[in-house]
Coordinates of all heavy atoms in Angstrom, one line a residue:
S298 N 4.1 6.5 1.9 CA 4.6 7.7 2.6 C 3.6 8.2 3.6 O 2.5 7.8 3.7 CB 4.9 8.8 1.6 OG 3.7 9.1 0.9
R299 N 4.1 9.2 4.4 CA 3.2 9.7 5.5 C 1.9 10.3 5.0 O 0.9 10.2 5.6 CB 4.0 10.7 6.3 CG 5.2 10.2 6.9 CD 5.9 11.1 7.9 NE 6.6 12.2 7.3 CZ 7.5 13.0 7.9 NH1 7.7 12.8 9.2 NH2 8.0 14.0 7.3
N300 N 2.0 10.9 3.8 CA 0.8 11.5 3.3 C 0.0 10.6 2.3 O -1.0 11.0 1.8 CB 1.1 12.9 2.6 CG 2.1 12.7 1.5 OD1 2.4 11.5 1.1 ND2 2.6 13.8 1.0
G301 N 0.5 9.4 2.1 CA -0.2 8.5 1.3 C 0.0 8.7 -0.2 O -0.6 8.1 -1.0
V302 N 0.9 9.7 -0.6 CA 1.0 10.1 -2.0 C 2.0 9.1 -2.7 O 1.8 8.8 -3.8 CB 1.5 11.5 -2.1 CG1 1.8 11.9 -3.5 CG2 0.4 12.5 -1.6
Y303 N 3.1 8.8 -2.0 CA 4.1 8.0 -2.6 C 4.0 6.5 -2.1 O 3.9 6.3 -0.9 CB 5.5 8.6 -2.3 CG 5.6 10.0 -2.7 CD1 5.6 11.1 -1.8 CD2 5.8 10.3 -4.1 CE1 5.7 12.4 -2.3 CE2 5.9 11.6 -4.5 CZ 5.9 12.6 -3.6 OH 6.0 13.9 -4.0
M304 N 4.2 5.6 -3.0 CA 4.2 4.2 -2.7 C 5.2 3.5 -3.6 O 5.4 3.9 -4.7 CB 2.8 3.6 -3.0 CG 1.7 4.1 -2.1 SD 0.1 3.9 -2.9 CE 0.0 5.4 -3.9
F305 N 5.9 2.6 -3.0 CA 6.9 1.7 -3.7 C 6.5 0.3 -3.5 O 6.0 -0.1 -2.4 CB 8.3 2.0 -3.2 CG 8.8 3.4 -3.4 CD1 9.1 4.2 -2.4 CD2 8.9 3.8 -4.7 CE1 9.6 5.5 -2.6 CE2 9.4 5.1 -5.0 CZ 9.7 5.9 -3.9
Y306 N 6.8 -0.5 -4.5 CA 6.5 -1.9 -4.5 C 7.7 -2.7 -4.9 O 8.4 -2.3 -5.8 CB 5.3 -2.3 -5.4 CG 4.0 -1.7 -5.0 CD1 3.6 -0.4 -5.5 CD2 3.1 -2.3 -4.1 CE1 2.4 0.2 -5.1 CE2 1.9 -1.7 -3.7 CZ 1.6 -0.5 -4.3 OH 0.4 0.1 -3.9
A307 N 7.8 -3.9 -4.4 CA 8.8 -4.9 -4.9 C 8.3 -5.3 -6.3 O 7.1 -5.4 -6.5 CB 8.9 -6.1 -4.0
D308 N 9.2 -5.6 -7.2 CA 8.9 -6.1 -8.5 C 8.0 -7.3 -8.5 O 7.1 -7.5 -9.3 CB 10.1 -6.3 -9.3 CG 10.9 -5.1 -9.7 OD1 10.3 -4.0 -9.6 OD2 12.0 -5.1 -10.1
S309 N 8.2 -8.2 -7.5 CA 7.5 -9.4 -7.5 C 6.0 -9.3 -7.2 O 5.3 -10.2 -7.4 CB 8.2 -10.3 -6.4 OG 8.1 -9.7 -5.1
V310 N 5.6 -8.1 -6.6 CA 4.2 -7.9 -6.3 C 3.6 -6.8 -7.1 O 2.4 -6.6 -7.0 CB 4.0 -7.7 -4.8 CG1 4.7 -8.8 -4.0 CG2 4.6 -6.3 -4.4
K311 N 4.4 -6.1 -7.8 CA 3.8 -4.9 -8.5 C 2.7 -5.4 -9.5 O 2.8 -6.3 -10.2 CB 5.0 -4.3 -9.3 CG 4.7 -2.8 -9.7 CD 6.0 -2.2 -10.3 CE 7.1 -2.1 -9.3 NZ 8.3 -1.4 -9.8
G312 N 1.6 -4.6 -9.4 CA 0.5 -5.0 -10.3 C -0.5 -6.0 -9.6 O -1.6 -6.2 -10.1
R313 N 0.0 -6.6 -8.5 CA -0.9 -7.6 -7.8 C -1.3 -7.1 -6.4 O -2.4 -7.4 -6.0 CB -0.2 -8.9 -7.7 CG 0.2 -9.6 -9.0 CD 0.7 -11.0 -8.8 NE 1.9 -11.1 -8.0 CZ 2.0 -11.8 -6.9 NH1 1.0 -12.5 -6.4 NH2 3.1 -11.8 -6.2
F314 N -0.4 -6.4 -5.8 CA -0.6 -5.9 -4.4 C -0.8 -4.4 -4.5 O -0.2 -3.7 -5.3 CB 0.6 -6.2 -3.5 CG 0.8 -7.7 -3.2 CD1 0.1 -8.7 -3.9 CD2 1.7 -8.0 -2.3 CE1 0.3 -10.0 -3.6 CE2 1.9 -9.4 -2.0 CZ 1.2 -10.3 -2.6
T315 N -1.6 -3.9 -3.5 CA -1.9 -2.4 -3.4 C -1.8 -2.1 -1.9 O -2.5 -2.7 -1.1 CB -3.2 -2.0 -4.0 OG1 -3.3 -2.4 -5.3 CG2 -3.4 -0.5 -3.8
I316 N -1.0 -1.1 -1.6 CA -0.9 -0.6 -0.2 C -1.7 0.7 -0.1 O -1.7 1.5 -1.0 CB 0.6 -0.4 0.2 CG1 0.7 -0.1 1.7 CG2 1.2 0.7 -0.7 CD1 2.2 -0.1 2.2
S317 N -2.4 0.8 1.0 CA -3.1 2.1 1.2 C -3.2 2.4 2.7 O -2.9 1.5 3.6 CB -4.6 1.9 0.7 OG -5.2 0.8 1.4
R318 N -3.4 3.6 3.1 CA -3.5 4.0 4.5 C -4.7 4.8 4.8 O -5.2 5.5 3.9 CB -2.2 4.7 4.9 CG -2.0 6.1 4.3 CD -0.6 6.6 4.7 NE -0.5 6.7 6.2 CZ 0.7 6.7 6.8 NH1 1.8 6.6 6.1 NH2 0.7 6.8 8.1
D319 N -5.2 4.6 6.0 CA -6.4 5.3 6.5 C -6.0 5.9 7.8 O -6.1 5.2 8.9 CB -7.6 4.4 6.6 CG -8.8 5.0 7.2 OD1 -8.7 6.2 7.5 OD2 -9.8 4.3 7.3
D320 N -5.5 7.1 7.9 CA -5.0 7.7 9.1 C -6.1 8.0 10.1 O -5.9 8.2 11.3 CB -4.1 8.9 8.8 CG -2.8 8.5 8.2 OD1 -2.3 7.5 8.5 OD2 -2.3 9.3 7.3
T321 N -7.3 8.2 9.6 CA -8.4 8.4 10.5 C -8.6 7.2 11.4 O -8.9 7.4 12.6 CB -9.7 8.7 9.7 OG1 -9.5 9.8 8.9 CG2 -10.9 8.9 10.6
N322 N -8.4 6.0 10.8 CA -8.6 4.8 11.6 C -7.3 4.2 11.9 O -7.2 3.0 12.4 CB -9.5 3.8 10.8 CG -10.9 4.3 10.7 OD1 -11.6 4.5 11.7 ND2 -11.4 4.5 9.5
N323 N -6.2 4.9 11.7 CA -4.8 4.4 12.1 C -4.5 3.0 11.6 O -4.1 2.2 12.3 CB -4.7 4.5 13.6 CG -4.8 5.9 14.2 OD1 -4.4 6.8 13.6 ND2 -5.4 6.0 15.3
K324 N -4.7 2.9 10.3 CA -4.3 1.6 9.7 C -3.7 1.7 8.3 O -4.0 2.7 7.6 CB -5.5 0.6 9.7 CG -6.6 1.1 8.8 CD -7.7 0.0 8.7 CE -8.7 0.3 7.7 NZ -9.6 -0.9 7.4
V325 N -3.0 0.7 8.0 CA -2.4 0.6 6.6 C -2.7 -0.8 6.1 O -2.4 -1.8 6.8 CB -0.9 0.8 6.6 CG1 -0.3 0.5 5.3 CG2 -0.6 2.2 7.0
D326 N -3.4 -0.9 5.0 CA -3.8 -2.2 4.4 C -2.9 -2.6 3.3 O -2.3 -1.8 2.6 CB -5.2 -2.1 3.9 CG -6.2 -2.0 5.1 OD1 -5.8 -2.3 6.2 OD2 -7.4 -1.7 4.8
L327 N -2.9 -3.9 3.1 CA -2.2 -4.5 1.9 C -3.2 -5.4 1.2 O -3.5 -6.5 1.7 CB -0.9 -5.2 2.3 CG -0.1 -5.8 1.2 CD1 0.6 -4.6 0.4 CD2 1.0 -6.8 1.7
Q328 N -3.7 -4.9 0.1 CA -4.6 -5.7 -0.7 C -3.8 -6.6 -1.6 O -3.0 -6.1 -2.5 CB -5.6 -4.8 -1.5 CG -6.5 -5.6 -2.4 CD -7.5 -6.4 -1.6 OE1 -8.1 -6.0 -0.6 NE2 -7.7 -7.7 -2.0
M329 N -3.9 -7.9 -1.5 CA -3.1 -8.8 -2.3 C -4.0 -9.6 -3.3 O -5.0 -10.1 -2.8 CB -2.4 -9.8 -1.4 CG -1.6 -9.1 -0.3 SD -0.6 -10.3 0.7 CE -1.8 -11.3 1.4
G330 N -3.7 -9.6 -4.5 CA -4.4 -10.3 -5.5 C -3.6 -11.3 -6.3 O -2.3 -11.2 -6.3
S331 N -4.2 -12.2 -7.0 CA -3.5 -13.2 -7.9 C -2.4 -13.9 -7.1 O -1.3 -14.0 -7.6 CB -3.0 -12.5 -9.1 OG -4.0 -11.9 -9.9
L332 N -2.8 -14.3 -5.9 CA -1.8 -14.9 -5.0 C -1.2 -16.1 -5.6 O -1.8 -17.0 -6.3 CB -2.4 -15.1 -3.7 CG -2.6 -13.9 -2.8 CD1 -3.5 -14.1 -1.7 CD2 -1.2 -13.4 -2.3

């Protein structure tokens, strides 16, 4: 979400991927694990 409070994930990646945003640097990252 715009304020970074709400996040939704597909079931297939839940627990392995993490989404985050840094509006100071205008970017949204997707950290992917256990690929």
Side-chain angles (χ1 to χ4, degrees):
S298 63
R299 297 191 287 196
N300 56 11
V302 173
Y303 302 107
M304 292 156 279
F305 295 118
Y306 295 91
D308 288 343
S309 60
V310 307
K311 202 172 293 184
R313 299 189 298 123
F314 291 11
T315 302
I316 190 171
S317 62
R318 67 186 299 155
D319 176 358
D320 289 325
T321 299
N322 292 302
N323 295 325
K324 66 172 187 168
V325 173
D326 288 349
L327 184 70
Q328 178 67 45
M329 307 187 295
S331 302
L332 284 164

